[in-house]
Amino acid sequence: EEEAFKALQEAGKLQPPRDVENDEKVDYSISKFNNPGNIEQGIDWKGLAKGGYGPNERFAKFKTPESGIRAMKIDINTKLNRFNGDLRKVIEQYAPSSENDVDKYLQVVQKTAGIKDKYTEKDLDNIVKGFIRMENKKELADKYIKLIENKGN
């Protein structure tokens, strides 16, 4: 996780989260879960809050919205690299067809990221915005996307 974070930070695609390592308070200003991508539990992301949500607490909770966005960017960027920029394959792993309409997901993400044969780290912010649109209701998605646009997360 840290290596992927450093690469994104150096490219200017990711800001460090607020200091949450020593802060037990959770920022509920956007959501009580701060997980715009419905990231599953299992990785020791920076900024994790205690507990989870959903069936069997499947999904992680984050202390701040920025921490959730950060985890999402690292996860999606890792998958972009794994699948050589093939957005459909990224979506198929991130949001499998057993739970999602992959074609619809791809169409929504392409509305913000454009239609390309190969996506790169340069497309990451727009890809993340599309994923946020698919994973959240409009009002909540708008808040997360505004945070990305205003803070450059």
Side-chain angles (χ1 to χ4, degrees):
E1 173 196 355
E2 201 57 38
E3 193 174 299
F5 168 73
K6 286 179 183 175
L8 288 172
Q9 192 174 27
E10 287 172 10
K13 293 287 179 190
L14 190 67
Q15 298 300 316
R18 288 185 270 161
D19 182 17
V20 293
E21 296 298 317
N22 301 313
D23 182 8
E24 287 303 313
K25 289 186 174 184
V26 177
D27 176 354
Y28 295 118
S29 63
I30 291 182
S31 165
K32 63 183 176 179
F33 305 124
N34 293 318
N35 188 347
N38 289 318
I39 300 283
E40 294 183 4
Q41 299 236 45
I43 294 178
D44 190 23
W45 299 107
K46 287 194 176 184
L48 277 177
K50 292 179 183 166
Y53 69 97
N56 301 315
E57 295 195 349
R58 174 181 170 189
F59 302 103
K61 285 201 254 182
F62 293 91
K63 293 179 183 177
T64 65
E66 294 90 347
S67 294
I69 292 167
R70 176 184 181 273
M72 197 176 174
K73 284 186 174 188
I74 292 170
D75 187 37
I76 292 170
N77 193 60
T78 298
K79 287 172 175 58
L80 271 177
N81 289 328
R82 179 180 304 143
F83 296 115
N84 197 31
D86 186 328
L87 187 58
R88 176 176 283 282
K89 287 183 180 176
V90 170
I91 291 169
E92 286 172 347
Q93 184 173 37
Y94 190 98
S97 61
S98 59
E99 299 177 12
N100 298 275
D101 180 340
V102 172
D103 290 329
K104 179 181 178 187
Y105 210 113
L106 180 62
Q107 289 173 357
V108 169
V109 175
Q110 286 178 328
K111 283 182 184 176
T112 58
I115 298 174
K116 300 179 176 186
D117 291 330
K118 182 177 179 178
Y119 295 81
T120 68
E121 195 175 283
K122 292 178 183 177
D123 303 304
L124 187 60
D125 281 353
N126 288 325
I127 292 169
V128 168
K129 290 175 192 176
F131 275 58
I132 288 172
R133 288 261 174 245
M134 280 301 297
E135 297 289 335
N136 299 274
K137 291 182 179 176
K138 184 181 182 334
E139 182 180 320
L140 187 56
D142 289 346
K143 290 178 182 180
Y144 281 119
I145 290 169
K146 185 175 181 180
L147 187 63
I148 291 170
E149 291 172 347
N150 289 342
K151 294 191 177 181
N153 262 323

